[in-house]
């Protein structure tokens, strides 16, 4: 029930990676045949990914994770914009992942960029009108996530990108949660930069990518060798890149079948939770959410304690409230929804995967109400 945190690596992905850990260990930058074989693996992985994203091969930059992709997008574009002068303003949303929020804050605090954080409505949506009103003459980048990691809400990114483009502003989207479940054709989506991370779609941890429309990203955030067109120096991680491309190919082939199955299971989970647990509230939107995400808040419940109780019943789940020095605080996402704190501290995210079946859902349906009842009884 925690596939939004990470997913198991598909056995086919493991098999595709293995040779590149052993016999095929060449450095793709080497001129000899062992290097060239590794280089060929990188090239064909890039071609596969470009095919799925409907972009050019040189518009894909391999990175070490989704966080790095987000950093590269924001910093790379910001530094390039500053050189062109007259560009100082970035717009993001209040429910972005810390990889975007933290990078934007760093750009503001240490480099003097002006940042606007757009509010969201009670479902977590960024409004087109708010975006339009926030645009300034010096705005050069809008970054709004495709789908949210906590509440699963899917943003209308094409509509938002269209507004940015009206003003010649670049549009980046963090698609780390979306990549395993939503369409990724960057032409259809009409976006300029997009971050992804393999471990969220049954690929390995430690590898990600940034799609950057040609000529948008001109500043590296890691300098050194000429890998990735000089935008991200460092010897390629061949097995992980091969694994990411294989995982994405598998996702593309089975997405619609997996999504249909997950939606049925997710809807069961949502319905039974709302029906059987008093004071339960669904967070995010009822339908415009990731097929695998069911997220709630429960009145009077401590989310972290709930996770521990579920763990004792063999259920892995996650909560949006982090307990810092004994003082629990709701996450930025739950805070942005403006829920009363007695609700937002009792959050639960259940995220299913392609291998989840009816019996898993039935087990959660049986355990969750009991755990919550017991927790409430103990409070009295
Ligand atoms: N962006 C979103 C929306 C995420 O959910 C995550 C990971 O949870 C990240 C970025 C960071 O990805 P990574 O773990 O690959 O650094």
């Amino acid at each position: 029930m925690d596939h939004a945190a990470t997913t198991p690596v598909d056995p086919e992905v493991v098999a595709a990676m293995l040779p590149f850990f052993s016999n095929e260990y060449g450095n793709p930058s080497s001129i000899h045949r062992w290097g060239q074989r590794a280089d060929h693996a990188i090239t064909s992985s890039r071609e596969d990914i470009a095919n799925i994203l409907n972009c050019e091969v040189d518009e894909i930059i391999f990175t070490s994770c989704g966080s790095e992709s987000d950093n590269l997008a924001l910093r790379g574009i910001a530094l390039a914009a500053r050189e062109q002068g007259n560009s100082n303003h970035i717009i993001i949303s209040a429910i972005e992942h810390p990889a975007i929020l933290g990078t934007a804050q760093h750009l503001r605090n240490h480099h003097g960029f002006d940042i606007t954080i757009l509010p969201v409505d009670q479902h977590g949506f960024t409004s087109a009108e708010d975006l339009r009103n926030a645009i300034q003459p010096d705005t050069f980048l809008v970054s709004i996530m495709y789908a949210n990691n906590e509440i699963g809400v899917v943003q209308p990114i094409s509509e938002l990108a269209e507004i940015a483009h009206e003003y010649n502003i670049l549009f980046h989207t963090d698609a780390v949660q979306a990549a395993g479940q939503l369409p990724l054709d960057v032409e259809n989506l009409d976006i300029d930069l997009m971050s992804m991370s393999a471990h969220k779609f049954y690929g390995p941890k430690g590898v990600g990518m940034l799609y950057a429309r040609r000529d948008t990203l001109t500043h590296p955030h890691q300098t050194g060798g000429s890998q990735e067109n000089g935008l991200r120096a460092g010897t390629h991680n061949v097995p992980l890149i091969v694994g990411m491309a294989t995982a994405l190919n598998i996702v593309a082939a089975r997405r619609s079948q997996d999504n249909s199955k997950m939606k049925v299971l997710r809807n069961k989970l949502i319905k039974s939770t709302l029906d059987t647990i008093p004071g339960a509230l669904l967070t995010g939107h009822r339908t415009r959410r990731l097929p695998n995400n069911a997220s709630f808040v429960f009145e009077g419940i401590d989310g972290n304690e709930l996770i521990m109780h579920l763990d004792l019943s063999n259920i892995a789940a996650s909560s949006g409230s982090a307990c810092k020095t004994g003082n629990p605080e709701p996450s930025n996402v739950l805070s942005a929804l403006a829920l009363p704190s007695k609700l937002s501290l009792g959050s639960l995210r259940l995220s299913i995967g392609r291998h989840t079946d009816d019996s898993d859902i039935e087990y959660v349906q049986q355990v969750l109400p009991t755990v919550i009842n017991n927790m409430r009884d103990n409070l009295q």
Side-chain angles (χ1 to χ4, degrees):
M1 295 292 136
D2 204 16
H3 287 78
T6 197
T7 51
V9 182
D10 190 296
E12 211 181 302
V13 171
V14 176
M17 289 193 293
L18 281 179
F20 298 97
F21 284 114
S22 49
N23 288 348
E24 298 295 338
Y25 65 87
N27 183 332
S29 301
S30 300
I31 289 169
H32 51 65
R33 79 188 79 149
W34 296 275
Q36 290 313 295
R37 285 210 293 267
D39 185 51
H40 177 73
I42 298 281
T43 303
S44 75
S45 297
R46 209 188 291 278
E47 282 166 0
D48 285 356
I49 296 173
N51 227 349
I52 291 167
L53 268 54
N54 189 18
C55 69
E56 302 298 329
V57 284
D58 62 354
E59 294 176 313
I60 288 169
I61 301 148
F62 292 127
T63 65
S64 67
C65 59
S67 302
E68 188 192 330
S69 306
D70 285 342
N71 272 263
L72 176 59
L74 263 61
R75 283 221 172 75
I77 295 294
L79 295 181
R82 173 147 290 170
E83 263 184 10
Q84 285 156 21
N86 200 27
S87 289
N88 204 48
H89 181 229
I90 302 174
I91 300 173
I92 63 171
S93 90
I95 61 167
E96 296 301 313
H97 187 272
I100 292 291
L101 278 175
T103 308
Q105 275 157 6
H106 192 269
L107 285 169
R108 179 183 59 205
N109 298 343
H110 298 275
H111 300 278
F113 285 95
D114 183 14
I115 309 291
T116 295
I117 302 181
L118 294 179
V120 292
D121 69 12
Q122 81 267 29
H123 298 301
F125 290 118
T126 304
S127 95
E129 197 188 337
D130 282 346
L131 173 58
R132 197 180 283 281
N133 291 337
I135 290 172
Q136 303 174 7
D138 61 347
T139 310
F140 62 90
L141 179 67
V142 174
S143 178
I144 309 277
M145 72 199 321
Y146 196 168
N148 182 262
N149 42 308
E150 284 183 42
I151 57 172
V153 62
V154 177
Q155 300 290 348
I157 52 163
S158 304
E159 190 190 330
L160 299 171
E162 198 181 324
I163 296 171
H165 290 156
E166 264 179 53
Y167 298 85
N168 275 330
I169 297 167
L170 293 174
F171 191 90
H172 166 257
T173 194
D174 174 335
V176 170
Q177 288 292 335
Q181 299 167 71
L182 301 180
L184 297 173
D185 182 322
V186 292
E187 284 306 317
N188 276 346
L189 293 170
D190 192 23
I191 52 170
D192 305 300
L193 300 112
M194 178 166 81
S195 305
M196 289 164 47
S197 179
H199 75 102
K200 306 286 188 185
F201 52 85
Y202 306 87
K205 293 170 184 59
V207 63
M209 50 150 289
L210 177 70
Y211 156 75
R213 198 182 287 282
R214 197 175 279 166
D215 298 331
T216 53
L217 191 70
T218 49
H219 269 60
H221 86 134
Q222 184 156 294
T223 44
S226 61
Q227 292 93 349
E228 302 304 283
N229 291 331
L231 291 169
R232 201 273 187 179
T235 299
H236 288 108
N237 195 330
V238 186
L240 269 60
I241 290 169
V242 168
M244 176 162 64
T246 310
L248 198 61
N249 275 333
I250 297 172
V251 157
R254 53 183 290 171
R255 183 189 292 127
S256 70
Q257 158 202 348
D258 282 348
N259 283 356
S260 312
K261 180 187 150 200
M262 289 197 297
K263 271 185 199 163
V264 172
L265 296 177
R266 177 206 66 189
N267 289 346
K268 271 191 194 170
L269 205 48
I270 290 178
K271 183 168 182 341
S272 69
T273 303
L274 297 179
D275 287 352
T276 58
I277 304 177
L281 190 79
L282 182 73
T283 46
H285 190 267
R286 181 69 191 79
T287 52
R288 291 164 64 190
R289 63 189 305 128
L290 286 172
N292 80 332
N293 174 294
S295 59
F296 309 92
V297 283
F298 302 103
E299 193 173 343
I301 290 290
D302 176 323
N304 291 310
E305 233 181 277
L306 175 58
I307 300 306
M308 288 188 272
H309 285 290
L310 291 174
D311 183 10
L312 292 175
S313 296
N314 277 329
I315 296 173
S318 135
S319 169
S321 42
C323 189
K324 294 170 197 148
T325 59
N327 180 20
E329 279 175 21
S331 68
N332 64 302
V333 179
L334 297 166
S335 302
L337 299 181
L339 295 164
S341 68
K342 64 176 181 185
L343 280 174
S344 58
L345 290 176
S347 71
L348 174 69
R349 176 187 72 188
L350 301 171
S351 46
I352 59 178
R354 65 164 72 129
H355 305 295
T356 307
D357 61 21
D358 268 315
S359 69
D360 298 317
I361 302 297
E362 280 157 24
Y363 182 64
V364 177
Q365 285 173 329
Q366 182 196 323
V367 170
L368 185 60
T370 315
V371 165
I372 290 194
N373 274 343
N374 290 345
M375 285 175 72
R376 283 181 174 155
D377 284 348
N378 285 339
L379 281 176
Q380 284 164 5

